[in-house]
Amino acid sequence: QVQLAESGGGLVQAGGSLRLSCSAPGRIYSRAAMGWFRRAPGKGREFVATISRNGGSTAYADSVKGRFTISRDNTKNTAYLQMNSLKPDDTAIYYCATKSQILTAPITMDDREYDYWGQGTQVTVSS
């Protein structure tokens, strides 16, 4: 069973910032694009951001563009999601996921294509 370890969630006021981290076993991480998704109360899971294996390509949901930044540190087998200017609508459980792929494959926002998932970390933004 592959375990992804997420951390960094918490309670923050609107306008504040949080940074989420997600680490994965090296044998998985080194061959994978990394993605972040979220599930708000009463809603389905939605795409947030993704980054390619080498970090050269990223994609974001329109709702977070300009506020969130995804990155990865391949020396630490860890991906990050820097979240700034947080809004109450960002309140959700945030999940990281890996998608094994060849180096030249395009990144994807489709959660059905991701292989392994973390347990999730709660982010709550108060107004």
Side-chain angles (χ1 to χ4, degrees):
Q1 183 75 13
V2 173
Q3 298 237 337
L4 306 185
E6 298 141 329
S7 63
L11 173 64
V12 64
Q13 288 189 326
S17 297
L18 285 173
R19 188 177 80 155
L20 306 183
S21 300
C22 173
S23 62
R27 61 183 173 84
I28 299 296
Y29 179 92
S30 63
R31 294 175 172 78
M34 301 293 291
W36 287 96
F37 296 80
R38 67 187 181 186
R39 187 189 300 274
K43 296 185 178 180
R45 186 166 61 194
E46 67 171 352
F47 166 77
V48 176
T50 186
I51 187 166
S52 60
R53 276 178 59 176
N54 63 6
S57 297
T58 58
Y60 297 90
D62 288 344
S63 59
V64 307
K65 276 181 185 175
R67 300 187 298 121
F68 291 11
T69 302
I70 190 171
S71 61
R72 63 190 296 163
D73 184 341
N74 291 349
T75 66
K76 298 181 178 179
N77 297 338
T78 301
Y80 304 95
L81 185 69
Q82 177 67 42
M83 305 185 295
N84 298 330
S85 302
L86 282 160
K87 306 174 181 179
D89 283 350
D90 295 317
T91 295
I93 301 174
Y94 283 71
Y95 301 90
C96 72
T98 65
K99 179 184 181 303
S100 298
Q101 61 182 84
I102 62 174
L103 195 57
T104 55
I107 49 178
T108 178
M109 298 179 279
D110 187 345
D111 62 351
R112 295 170 298 180
E113 297 195 32
Y114 285 76
D115 310 301
Y116 300 106
W117 292 80
Q119 297 288 330
T121 185
Q122 177 71 48
V123 171
T124 303
V125 185
S126 63
S127 57

